[in-house]
Amino acid sequence: MIDSSEPCLVVAGAPNVGKSALIASMSSGKPEIAAYPFTTRQLHVGHFINRRMKYQLVDTPGLLDRPMDERNQIEMQAIAALEHVGDLCLFLMDPSETSGTSIEVQTNLLNEVADLLPQTPLIVIDGKGDLLETIDSDEWAAVCEMEAALKDDPEGPIPEIRNPATGHLVISATESAGIERLRHEIIERIGKMRQTDPLSLPENWHVRDDSV
Ligand SMILES: Nc1nc2c(ncn2[C@@H]2O[C@H](COP(=O)(O)OP(=O)(O)OP(=O)(O)O)[C@@H](O)[C@H]2O)c(=O)[nH]1
Ligand SMILES: [Mg+2]
């Protein structure tokens, strides 16, 4: 079950880009299965805990992974419902193209997902960093080493690696690199959203000023 009082991250991206692997690498325990409104599809929900807050990661198999003109109405309703479920959308790209989808088609999908979820902030991530030729191999090795060191010293520095070709954060689920930086980014973004949301007044709200 998705708990609507806790943050929820929706993971999107073309087939085979590594969405499930990313969720598994960020989550404690095995993903659970949740029923999805309107469809027979299932959502896989993983989670991690930070400072007593539960960050839920929703995998969307078969939902946000192909062109929207191939969708029927029920699927489109299910996608629209994601706007209410997700606080943040993680869009995973596979610049290595080993998933079988070109960067161009993945970019079109990204634009479609952004249009479908206009209220949901998006973080674009480049996955399969271990396969990317645009990344310096020494830098990559250093990131992997620093990330491994965090297991013994969780307060240590969190490495950050970006793809010089796109500027996106880079991760590898198989080599456990960039995962902690992404987790940090998620916690910061959600923290900022939660900080401002409960305090922000409705647009038509006027504060009465008795001093005048
Ligand atoms: N080299 C490399 N391979 C990866 C990485 N993450 C996932 N893969 C591989 O990519 C393939 C697809 O991974 P999945 O996690 O199943 O991808 P998915 O996006 O969930 O796929 P669907 O749910 O079928 O759309 C598998 O063979 C993984 O082993 C990564 O970081 N590096
Ligand atoms: Mg999957």
Side-chain angles (χ1 to χ4, degrees), residues 75-192:
E75 281 180 312
M76 289 308 281
Q77 266 182 292
I79 291 166
L82 284 174
E83 182 96 292
H84 304 286
V85 172
D87 295 287
L88 199 63
C89 178
L90 305 181
F91 191 92
L92 184 59
M93 303 273 295
D94 172 9
S96 77
E97 298 184 333
T98 54
S99 58
T101 306
S102 69
I103 292 176
E104 190 189 350
V105 170
Q106 293 183 61
T107 305
N108 292 341
L109 180 64
L110 166 61
N111 292 333
E112 282 189 322
V113 169
D115 284 348
L116 282 161
L117 307 175
Q119 314 282 347
T120 312
L122 245 151
I123 299 181
V124 184
I125 311 149
D126 286 351
K128 305 192 186 177
D130 52 292
L131 302 179
L132 299 187
E133 282 162 8
T134 51
I135 298 205
D136 179 73
S137 57
D138 289 342
E139 194 191 355
W140 184 255
V143 165
C144 292
E145 201 174 303
M146 268 171 96
E147 191 130 343
L150 284 169
K151 295 208 167 68
D152 297 323
D153 176 16
E155 302 301 317
I158 304 171
E160 172 172 327
I161 187 154
R162 289 187 182 266
N163 186 350
T166 61
H168 302 151
L169 282 179
V170 175
I171 61 121
S172 167
T174 47
E175 292 189 10
S176 255
I179 301 289
E180 294 314 318
R181 173 55 56 183
L182 175 60
R183 194 192 308 279
H184 183 78
E185 178 93 10
I186 289 168
I187 293 167
E188 293 254 293
R189 289 281 285 266
I190 297 274
K192 282 199 186 120

Side-chain angles (χ1 to χ4, degrees), residues 2-3 6-10 56-58 85-88 190 194:
I2 298 171
D3 181 345
E6 304 272 13
C8 183
L9 312 153
V10 173
Q56 303 164 100
L57 295 149
V58 176
V85 172
D87 295 287
L88 199 63
I190 297 274
R194 298 227 153 187

Side-chain angles (χ1 to χ4, degrees), residues 3-82:
D3 181 345
S4 58
S5 66
E6 304 272 13
C8 183
L9 312 153
V10 173
V11 181
N16 262 312
V17 294
K19 301 178 296 294
S20 301
L22 169 62
I23 290 179
S25 70
M26 292 195 88
S27 300
S28 36
K30 269 196 177 165
E32 295 162 31
I33 310 250
Y36 199 79
F38 312 117
T39 66
T40 52
R41 289 190 190 283
Q42 293 176 328
L43 288 184
H44 302 247
V45 189
H47 76 264
F48 65 87
I49 309 261
N50 180 264
R51 301 195 172 186
R52 282 195 251 153
M53 192 119 90
K54 185 175 179 181
Y55 294 78
Q56 303 164 100
L57 295 149
V58 176
D59 199 354
T60 53
L63 265 186
L64 291 172
D65 61 1
R66 60 203 155 93
M68 299 305 152
D69 58 9
E70 293 171 13
R71 301 322 174 104
N72 63 37
Q73 209 187 340
I74 290 172
E75 281 180 312
M76 289 308 281
Q77 266 182 292
I79 291 166
L82 284 174

